[in-house]
Amino acid sequence: MAYSWTAGARRFVFPDLKTVMAKATPPRSGDALAGLAAETAEENVAAKLVLADLPLKALLAEPLVPYETDEVTRLICDTHDADAFAPVAALTVGEFREFLLSETTTGEVLIRLAPGITPEMAAAVSKIMRNQDLITVARKIRVVTRFRNTLGQAGVMAVRLQPNHPTDDPAGVTAAILDGLMYGCGDAVIGINPASDSLAAVDSLLRLTDGLVRLFEIPTQTCVLTHVTSAIELIERGAPVDLVFQSIAGTEAANAGFGVTLDLLAEGRDAALSLKRGTVGDNVMYFETGQGSALSSGAHHGVDQQTIEARAYAVARAFDPLLVNTVVGFIGPEYLYDGKEIIRAGLEDHFCGKLLGAPMGCDVCYTNHAEADQDDMDNLLTLLAAAGVNFIMGVPGADDVMLNYQSTSFHDALYVREVFGLKRAPEFEAWLARIGVTGEGGALLPRSAGHPLLAAV
């Protein structure tokens, strides 16, 4: 079905819905690389106007990726909750934006609505929203998850402590973990990207982090970010796996590039659940995503990268994860060129994930060949804190020496918590006070050589 918009003597024609969606997207290098972006600002505005007048139901009726050949599309369509969708079923995309921004539309309303919202609906409405709109709506939505602590409550922002090391050296990893804990980081997860994918190396890191958690009785969870098949095998061998990690994307073909299917993700979740390692809940999955991943593997089906990214959150929510993390600037400037594009993408991803009911965090990051710097990351970090992000990254010095990219530091977490009055996960906050890392109001206490954490180095 073709769509058109006439403005004066000019008429813009879009051959199908995926073209409308792509042309309505704010400018980004990935869509330009794919030949999908609007050629002019006028075409971009025309596509937004067409999209605003489109009924939400049309996004159900015209799948952007074929149902017959894509299991993610089948998941989206087959699990759509018509009853949850009913309150907004008669709205256009533009009217849906007004509904989301209304003061009477509370977070509780949006949580009930989530099973009725498809990723295409979320992506569509985000394309006609300003940054402040994305922040306002996302801030309303609190997606609460639990494993050894409780994440996602209002006024809480957690931190993934990311102690990566270029050789997986146990002393280096341990030093980074203890340093992060002394800054009050690690409530989201102590999560390591291993330099080696060997099962022996991953098993060693799992036992190292599990040993620290048990030694200091830390109410948090650990994860070594290895492939789901490796996690399953390690569980079968008796390794102490808390969370099963996997990178995911928004199409079956892109997930095949990661070596996963929906059935395999379900198998990984079942394996983790069988261990019963959670103490306050059983959210056992950790997913990471990023705009451009499907395009980079030629698996985007001619759909813009932001819409494909939103579809990844539909995959994530099907498995009740503890954490979903958009690694927003990691893929590089070919997909998000500069600080402005990274900031916009981070806010879009956070909004779309929350609207779909995913517990969204963000790795506020960039690669060294992008047209971005740490001031851009400060801006995005601040905006996401205003939007109620569930968690961010804590990397020593904000410089990941193993993955060679720039993220956010332990100090950045202190900054944003102080500015917004944000707390840590309540169980973790209580532990920090009990072990003498923090004092009144959660403020850090001066370090002393005799502190139990430092004595462990």
Side-chain angles (χ1 to χ4, degrees), residues 5 13 32 61 77 104 108 119 128 136 147 168 176 203 245 293 301 310 335 355-356 358 362 371 401 411 414 445:
W5 186 269
V13 178
C77 294
T104 60
E108 291 74 17
I128 62 169
T136 298
F147 188 74
D168 292 335
D203 183 81
F245 167 82
S293 60
H301 294 269
Y335 305 97
L355 195 58
L356 292 169
C362 183
E371 290 295 319
V401 295
H411 303 77
L414 289 177
L445 295 173

Side-chain angles (χ1 to χ4, degrees), residues 160-168 172-173 176 190-196 223 225 286 288 325 327 329-330 363-368 374 377 392-410 412:
R160 170 190 161 187
L161 202 172
Q162 184 170 308
N164 295 346
H165 191 278
T167 63
D168 292 335
V173 170
I190 299 173
I192 305 173
N193 298 89
S196 169
C223 184
L225 281 64
Y286 176 14
E288 287 192 345
N325 178 36
V327 192
F330 184 75
D363 189 344
V364 178
C365 64
Y366 64 101
T367 58
N368 287 311
Q374 212 64 33
M377 300 305 101
I392 60 167
M393 302 298 110
V395 178
D399 183 0
D400 193 302
V401 295
M402 195 279 282
L403 293 175
N404 293 308
Y405 79 116
Q406 309 304 310
S407 185
T408 49
S409 71
F410 307 145
D412 295 331

Side-chain angles (χ1 to χ4, degrees), residues 180-260:
L181 292 171
M182 290 298 294
Y183 279 106
C185 295
D187 46 347
V189 64
I190 299 173
I192 305 173
N193 298 89
S196 169
D197 281 335
S198 77
L199 291 181
V202 174
D203 183 81
S204 177
L205 290 171
L206 284 168
R207 295 185 187 280
L208 169 65
T209 53
D210 179 63
L212 288 171
V213 166
R214 287 188 289 105
L215 174 64
F216 295 109
E217 299 180 330
I218 310 171
T220 192
Q221 36 283 328
T222 68
C223 184
V224 178
L225 281 64
T226 189
H227 194 270
V228 61
T229 53
S230 297
I232 292 169
E233 185 167 347
L234 286 162
I235 289 170
E236 292 172 348
R237 294 183 180 186
V241 175
D242 287 344
L243 305 182
V244 169
F245 167 82
Q246 184 57 50
S247 295
I248 56 171
T251 69
E252 179 178 342
N255 283 325
F258 288 131
V260 297

Side-chain angles (χ1 to χ4, degrees), residues 93 259 356 434:
V93 173
L356 292 169
R434 188 167 62 250

